[in-house]
């Protein structure tokens, strides 16, 4: 199969393993990976600049399908010398007296942001990380973003009762390239190359059944010939003495 496919993805998502599977299965179809800001991922797909996108839910879903793939652990990021440094896990209650930064590209769907309100909202998660590293406030993010922006002077631990982010494959409801989308869905869901959900492989021709060698027709036997009966011999009369 020839052609091309563009897959957009947001920071923190690592599509490399899926790209390798694509190259193995569709070596003649070029796959282009494009990292895009969180706020632009859905718009790129709607505008046709990407065939599909790996993005986070909840998020912009207008005119798009979204197939959830996995749910990320939510963590809280703080300086290594913070009072939370010895903690293995925290809860939202623990954050009540701390400033919690919420960047404009926040990937979590908060009903109500805990902690003390910040004076401003950083533009990006990367900007919020810089502020936290300076010793001001905390940041709650999916674990993949904490790893992406890892610094030696910062630490993160799981936040037990926080909202979670789900990574999903999103593509237009009115898809113009359904066959390649089906291939991508199969790859990110871990289907095998022979999965029945993908394009069906051409069936192999059935072997022609071997014909049994012709046998000579059996001759029909008629009734066995009757043997002629021999006349019984008469016994000679015995003379009296």
């Amino acid at each position: 199969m020839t052609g091309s496919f563009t897959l957009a993805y947001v920071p923190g998502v690592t599509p490399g393993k899926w790209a390798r599977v694509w190259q193995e299965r569709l070596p003649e179809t070029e796959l282009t990976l494009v990292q895009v800001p969180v706020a632009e991922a859905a718009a790129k797909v709607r505008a046709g600049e990407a065939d599909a996108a790996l993005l986070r839910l909840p998020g912009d879903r207008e005119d798009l399908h979204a197939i959830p793939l996995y749910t990320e652990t939510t963590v809280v990021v703080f300086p290594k010398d913070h009072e939370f440094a010895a903690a293995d896990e925290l809860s939202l209650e623990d954050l009540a007296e701390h400033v919690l930064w919420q960047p404009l590209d926040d990937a979590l769907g908060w009903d109500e942001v805990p902690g003390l309100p910040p004076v401003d909202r950083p533009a990006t998660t990367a900007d919020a990380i810089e502020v936290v590293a300076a010793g001001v406030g905390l940041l709650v993010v999916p674990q993949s973003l904490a790893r992406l922006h890892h610094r030696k002077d910062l630490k993160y631990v799981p936040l037990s009762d926080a909202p979670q982010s789900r990574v999903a494959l999103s593509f237009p409801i009115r898809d113009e390239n359904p066959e390649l989308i089906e291939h991508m869905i199969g790859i990110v869901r871990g289907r095998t190359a022979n999965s029945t959900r993908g394009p069906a492989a051409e069936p192999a021709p059935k072997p022609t059944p071997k014909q049994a060698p012709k046998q000579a027709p059996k001759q029909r036997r008629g009734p066995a010939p009757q043997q002629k009966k021999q006349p019984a011999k008469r016994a000679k009369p015995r003379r009296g003495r």
Side-chain angles (χ1 to χ4, degrees):
M1 183 182 298
T2 57
S4 63
F5 192 90
T6 300
L7 179 65
Y9 65 98
V10 297
V13 177
T14 52
K17 60 180 179 181
W18 295 319
R20 288 190 293 272
V21 177
W22 179 282
Q23 291 171 356
E24 292 171 1
R25 296 185 185 179
L26 301 166
E28 296 182 359
T29 305
E30 181 183 3
L31 176 64
T32 302
L33 301 177
V34 181
Q35 181 172 300
V36 296
V38 172
E40 299 179 13
K44 291 282 186 184
V45 178
R46 273 196 295 269
E49 297 177 28
D51 296 288
L54 293 167
L55 42 71
R56 289 189 175 88
L57 302 177
D60 185 358
R61 295 279 302 276
E62 185 179 354
D63 297 328
L64 299 176
H65 287 299
I67 299 177
L69 302 177
Y70 59 89
T71 300
E72 293 192 89
T73 299
T74 302
V75 301
V76 55
V77 183
F78 49 83
K80 277 195 171 181
D81 58 357
H82 195 274
E83 63 181 279
F84 293 153
D88 294 325
E89 185 178 82
L90 296 169
S91 66
L92 292 179
E93 186 178 354
D94 296 322
L95 310 184
E97 301 300 323
H98 298 270
V99 173
L100 187 65
W101 299 102
Q102 187 184 16
L104 295 177
D105 62 357
D106 183 28
L108 302 172
W110 295 97
D111 293 328
E112 183 178 352
V113 181
L116 302 176
V119 294
D120 194 7
R121 293 188 65 180
T124 66
T125 298
D127 293 335
I129 288 285
E130 293 294 331
V131 177
V132 173
V136 182
L138 309 173
L139 177 64
V140 177
V141 291
Q143 184 170 297
S144 65
L145 287 178
R147 288 174 176 169
L148 177 65
H149 299 290
H150 175 67
R151 294 171 49 129
K152 292 182 179 180
D153 54 350
L154 295 178
K155 182 180 178 180
Y156 61 86
V157 297
L159 192 59
S160 60
D161 49 357
Q164 293 179 308
S165 170
R166 292 178 298 160
V167 173
L169 177 70
S170 186
F171 52 93
I173 291 176
R174 294 184 178 180
D175 177 42
E176 298 180 356
N177 203 347
E179 190 172 0
L180 290 180
I181 283 289
E182 278 298 322
H183 276 293
M184 181 57 71
I185 292 172
I187 289 170
V188 298
R189 282 190 161 179
R191 296 179 190 147
T192 64
N194 296 324
S195 170
T196 56
R197 290 293 298 275
E202 185 176 341
K206 295 183 178 180
T208 305
K210 295 181 180 180
Q211 294 183 348
K214 293 184 178 181
Q215 296 181 352
K218 294 182 178 180
Q219 296 181 353
R220 295 184 62 185
R221 295 181 180 178
Q226 296 183 354
Q227 294 181 352
K228 292 183 178 181
K229 293 184 178 180
Q230 297 292 332
K233 293 184 180 180
R234 290 185 176 182
K236 293 182 179 180
R238 296 179 65 185
R239 293 181 179 178
R241 289 181 182 178

